[in-house]
Amino acid sequence: STDYGSTYERMNDKVGSKTVLSYLYICPTNKRKIMVLTDPEFESSVLVSSDEGASFQKYRLSFYILSLLFHPTQEDWALAYSHDQKLYSSMDFGRKWQLVHEHVTPSRFYWSVSGLDKELDLVHMEAHTPDGNVQYVTCRAQMCTESNRNYPFPGYVDISSLVVQDDYMFIQVPTSGRAKYYVSYKRDPFLQIKLPKYSLPKDLHIVSTDEKQVFAAVQEWNQNDTYNLYLSDTRGIYFTLAMENVKTTRGIGGNQMLDLYETASVFLLGVAQLTVLCPCLGITDTASIISLSADDA
């Protein structure tokens, strides 16, 4: 649809009736540019359009794409993650693809952040070593030989812990005792995150980093279906408790979900699916809308 949903045209009519499509990706810097993946059960191809889907060019692939990630500023650059955990890059809008790295963790790869990384084509990723450990690796998208790779954190990290977001980078370190989390602010060396001494976290999720501080959800050792919410200083090192015992819900596959909605620097905790038990703020009602801002904390 090009008229905000008033009318629709079948994309299959433009790419061939026998072509089975799976996912569509729109370039964030040029909405006219679209990449569409074919269903890997039938073929491995990518279809590209530079005119909002009016016409497509089809390119065969030697691998099956599981997900795509456009560059935040360069409209022709994209990363592709394959079914066999390989990461590829294209700098010409999907025409040619080059292997970046093998054994990459799903959803743990990121393009460079403008103003922080020196090279626009830098890729941040979490990769597995031959002996089964996990490392944080950076390299340029089309120059990722072993000699050109860098390891910003000196040691192994926990799987699926790397987050590169705005001014911050986060990782978790494998340990047999209390979980240890590290943060890098504006690409400075990693420092250990400092939660209050009484906090014994077993799980930590980064909720937001776009207000010059970190908003995080932490599950303590004695919590099963609730999280505590914390706010940090500007560098993301020191955290203060903002709200306790926020109820989670079960999503598809049994994953825990925490409903948070941001509106003008205020977070709203979901109405129907949330129970808030927070005597410290005088709130004990079920199914109430709770707003939280940095000033409240």
Side-chain angles (χ1 to χ4, degrees):
S1 175
T2 57
D3 54 11
Y4 299 98
S6 296
T7 60
Y8 283 87
E9 292 181 74
R10 281 175 54 88
M11 289 186 60
N12 299 69
D13 297 336
K14 299 177 181 179
V15 301
S17 58
K18 294 184 179 180
T19 301
V20 181
L21 306 178
S22 57
Y23 294 101
L24 181 148
Y25 295 84
I26 300 174
C27 176
T29 55
N30 184 349
K31 303 300 182 182
R32 295 180 60 83
K33 290 196 170 183
I34 301 170
M35 281 191 181
V36 184
L37 304 181
T38 57
D39 191 323
E41 291 190 8
F42 297 90
E43 64 173 310
S44 180
S45 300
V46 60
L47 296 100
V48 302
S49 173
S50 298
D51 51 16
E52 293 185 278
S55 62
F56 285 90
Q57 289 181 289
K58 188 175 184 178
Y59 299 102
R60 298 279 184 178
L61 302 173
S62 60
F63 58 96
Y64 295 100
I65 296 179
L66 188 63
S67 63
L68 274 174
L69 180 65
F70 273 105
H71 193 280
T73 61
Q74 305 298 308
E75 60 187 52
D76 289 338
W77 296 4
L79 296 174
Y81 186 76
S82 71
H83 281 72
D84 55 356
Q85 297 187 321
K86 294 179 181 178
L87 189 65
Y88 295 83
S89 65
S90 173
M91 316 301 271
D92 55 6
F93 196 42
R95 290 166 177 79
K96 297 188 296 289
W97 295 88
Q98 181 172 317
L99 178 66
V100 179
H101 205 293
E102 297 180 336
H103 308 297
V104 176
T105 305
S107 303
R108 298 297 166 173
F109 51 90
Y110 308 85
W111 278 111
S112 63
V113 177
S114 180
L116 293 177
D117 295 307
K118 294 180 180 179
E119 298 92 3
L120 279 175
D121 60 346
L122 190 73
V123 179
H124 303 260
M125 69 195 114
E126 193 181 280
H128 298 245
T129 64
D131 58 0
N133 291 303
V134 180
Q135 290 179 304
Y136 168 26
V137 184
T138 62
C139 64
R140 302 184 71 172
Q142 307 240 315
M143 297 175 56
C144 199
T145 60
E146 182 60 45
S147 60
N148 291 320
R149 295 172 187 167
N150 292 301
Y151 301 88
F153 185 78
Y156 299 128
V157 303
D158 273 346
I159 188 171
S160 299
S161 70
L162 174 65
V163 175
V164 179
Q165 193 168 300
D166 297 320
D167 291 339
Y168 305 89
M169 302 187 300
F170 305 90
I171 56 97
Q172 180 178 340
V173 173
T175 176
S176 57
R178 180 176 177 174
K180 293 183 179 180
Y181 304 93
Y182 287 78
V183 60
S184 167
Y185 177 63
K186 291 189 174 181
R187 303 302 185 263
D188 286 341
F190 278 92
L191 296 174
Q192 187 173 346
I193 288 175
K194 304 294 184 182
L195 292 166
K197 291 183 178 180
Y198 55 78
S199 175
L200 296 173
K202 63 181 179 182
D203 192 21
L204 183 149
H205 292 281
I206 304 302
V207 177
S208 174
T209 57
D210 57 2
E211 293 295 329
K212 301 301 180 184
Q213 63 180 165
V214 181
F215 188 31
V218 176
Q219 190 168 60
E220 309 286 352
W221 67 274
N222 60 340
Q223 293 178 309
N224 294 314
D225 57 356
T226 59
Y227 276 77
N228 294 340
L229 302 181
Y230 288 83
L231 285 167
S232 80
D233 63 342
T234 301
R235 299 180 66 196
I237 298 173
Y238 295 97
F239 281 77
T240 302
L241 181 64
M243 184 173 289
E244 293 181 292
N245 297 317
V246 177
K247 185 76 173 176
T248 62
T249 58
R250 291 287 176 179
I252 298 174
N255 294 326
Q256 287 184 307
M257 298 176 63
L258 187 65
D259 295 331
L260 298 170
Y261 307 95
E262 186 175 8
T263 57
S265 301
V266 175
F267 287 92
L268 299 181
L269 308 187
V271 183
Q273 298 181 331
L274 206 71
T275 301
V276 177
L277 308 172
C278 191
C280 60
L281 297 180
I283 301 165
T284 57
D285 292 338
T286 299
S288 300
I289 297 180
I290 307 300
S291 65
L292 175 68
S293 68
D295 293 335
D296 297 329

